[in-house]
Amino acid sequence: HLQPVAHVDSMTPEKLGYAKLVREVQCGNSKIVQVSGIENMGRTVSVVVRGSNKLVVEEADRSLHDALCVIRCLVQKRFLIVGGGAPEIEMSQKLGYWARTLTGMDAVCVKAFAEALEVIPYTLAENAGLNPIEIVTELRNVHTAGNAYHGINVRKGTISDMKDENVLQPMLVTSS
């Protein structure tokens, strides 16, 4: 199997592979090197990211990186939770209730952490082009009514049950 090489100095004969064909191929206005017929390919791949301008390429690169990080999190810890800001708002409310039972610096710290968790659904609403104050207020009310799986449905622009909508995320994404 081929092994990834992080630096040219690390390249040794046992890390090299064999390809039946290496050729330069026209791709739009530029050329790329295509390698095919690789023996014992292993599990390493290369992804070519192209776009109409540098900004598009950088955004595609960031999106690909984010997607790979989510997959890595799922592989490391195979637990899924609902998305849409539902876990964060639920934890925020539970911590807020707990903070009211505490006194002094403990109460202040727990309350501050509870409020900080609301940044996640607020940012999600903002990035989706929704009114974040309105949406997060509605989300709080829905959770107060006992709907712990409800979150921000960015496709519909409303609050809905993330479990029913199949909006899930790896637990490690939230807990790390």
Side-chain angles (χ1 to χ4, degrees):
H1 290 290
L2 294 177
Q3 296 177 356
V5 177
H7 193 271
V8 139
D9 293 341
S10 303
M11 202 173 288
T12 59
E14 62 272 1
K15 290 184 180 175
L16 297 177
Y18 172 82
K20 286 184 181 174
L21 180 63
V22 177
R23 64 185 179 138
E24 195 173 62
V25 179
Q26 190 73 31
C27 187
N29 293 332
S30 58
K31 294 181 180 181
I32 61 170
V33 176
Q34 182 184 43
V35 181
S36 58
I38 300 170
E39 291 182 5
N40 301 319
M41 193 156 116
R43 299 184 304 166
T44 302
V45 297
S46 296
V47 178
V48 177
V49 178
R50 299 187 70 233
S52 57
N53 60 47
K54 187 178 179 182
L55 188 65
V56 171
V57 170
E58 288 172 352
E59 185 59 32
D61 184 52
R62 277 191 295 277
S63 295
L64 185 60
H65 179 267
D66 290 349
L68 290 171
C69 287
V70 168
I71 291 168
R72 185 189 67 220
C73 286
L74 190 55
V75 167
Q76 288 175 350
K77 216 173 209 175
R78 294 176 177 260
F79 297 104
L80 292 172
I81 59 173
V82 294
E88 291 82 6
I89 208 79
E90 185 69 16
M91 285 300 301
S92 174
Q93 287 193 329
K94 300 292 185 204
L95 288 172
Y97 295 138
W98 182 43
R100 290 185 207 120
T101 69
L102 302 172
T103 58
M105 193 57 72
D106 290 341
V108 172
C109 290
V110 172
K111 183 176 185 247
F113 188 79
E115 290 171 359
L117 284 172
E118 289 193 2
V119 170
I120 303 294
Y122 186 95
T123 304
L124 179 62
E126 200 171 41
N127 288 345
L130 305 172
N131 181 334
I133 295 171
E134 186 180 296
I135 286 287
V136 172
T137 302
E138 184 183 346
L139 186 57
R140 271 192 224 112
N141 293 337
V142 169
H143 275 256
T144 300
N147 300 303
Y149 294 140
H150 279 64
I152 302 167
N153 187 326
V154 297
R155 288 195 178 125
K156 296 178 182 174
T158 60
I159 304 299
S160 59
D161 188 320
M162 298 289 98
K163 194 173 177 187
D164 290 347
E165 297 282 345
N166 207 22
V167 177
L168 305 171
Q169 65 187 34
M171 186 178 74
L172 197 57
V173 168
T174 299
S175 64
S176 61

